[in-house]
Amino acid sequence: MNDLVARFRGVFTALATPFKGDAVDFSTFGALVERQIAAGIAGLVPVGTTGEAATLSDDEADRLIARTKELAAGRAMVMAGAGSNDTRKTIDKVKRAEKAGADALLIVTPYYNKPTQAGLIAHYSATAEATSLPIMLYSVPGRCGVEIAPETCATLMDLHPNIVAIKEAGGSAARITQLRRACGDKLIIHSGDDGLTLPFLSLGAIGVTSVVANVAPREMALLLEAWQAGDAARALALHELIAELTDGMFIESNPGPVKAALALANLAGPEMRLPLVSVSDFNREKLAGILNRFSAASAAFQEIR
């Protein structure tokens, strides 16, 4: 278990999926992944919400996971998104992700259906029984309409040894204490909100599954490294350095802003698949200003430190 905790510690980037026309741009995707690894990211999360999983074909998802694993080459953990709102489809995605080489799985709560807690236990139990890979539960009530209760998390961990972690994206720091009270310190917790990373770490989380790391991987990695080294002042300074950029990543629905930011930085194209569309011209200009200020502040921070 200690080795598993170590593997989940740090920044895991919820990777954006670049497109060129109607196709996945695998060349650009490879460059993005290499940039993440070079920055010191601990984990890579392909085929998640930020990766527009809902509009990827099964073959595209398989290829993205396999390509991430190939590029990571043991330098970063690969945790593939594999959830859906149909348990049978989720199990199929889990088996496909395992075959493609994933090291772990991120399984979101079923959306739209709004299952009860008993339904969540049944759903996650069936999923866990279909794989031997470590599973991170993903509670994001703002998108799914249902939250994983702390007691449900504890029940699932008791029933299934491979359910080991949760990505908490409910927007409440109080949830961390509630989860730890129910599950104990054996539960691995990731922040699912970039802006709450530092307070979550102070309450017992050990990592973040991050959107903003697509744009600022080194700064996010440095924040986690500072906290892990016991340098709270440096971690706070990095949190404040990233804060405006973090807010900017959510001025419209994710991943619109992060894709616009990657395009502004000449790292990837801004294309998204319907029903998602590119950010408005107004917000693109706003993001350009945020990126310019962030770049200048980051450069100054590196000089001072």
Side-chain angles (χ1 to χ4, degrees), residues 224-240:
L224 270 290
E225 289 169 11
W227 180 263
Q228 291 161 4
D231 192 343
R234 179 173 168 82
L236 178 59
L238 283 155
H239 164 83
E240 292 174 345

Side-chain angles (χ1 to χ4, degrees), residues 157-206:
M157 291 185 72
D158 287 341
L159 290 172
H160 307 287
N162 59 330
I163 294 180
V164 298
I166 188 167
K167 176 185 175 183
E168 174 53 42
S172 169
R175 279 268 296 176
I176 304 306
T177 300
Q178 293 163 8
L179 286 163
R180 284 172 59 82
R181 185 180 296 130
C183 303
D185 59 9
K186 64 181 180 179
L187 175 65
I188 296 166
I189 302 175
H190 269 210
S191 172
D193 295 297
D194 280 300
L196 291 175
T197 300
L198 189 56
F200 275 30
L201 290 172
S202 73
L203 292 168
I206 67 166

Side-chain angles (χ1 to χ4, degrees), residues 222-284:
L222 287 171
L223 191 162
L224 270 290
E225 289 169 11
W227 180 263
Q228 291 161 4
D231 192 343
R234 179 173 168 82
L236 178 59
L238 283 155
H239 164 83
E240 292 174 345
L241 172 69
I242 300 164
E244 187 186 19
L245 181 62
T246 295
D247 291 343
M249 292 302 95
F250 299 96
I251 55 175
E252 289 187 19
S253 295
N254 180 46
V258 72
K259 280 203 152 179
L262 288 171
L264 286 164
N266 295 314
L267 294 170
E271 295 95 336
M272 296 195 294
R273 284 183 173 168
L274 292 172
L276 298 179
V277 295
S278 297
V279 299
S280 68
D281 290 342
F282 174 81
N283 280 331
R284 186 178 295 103

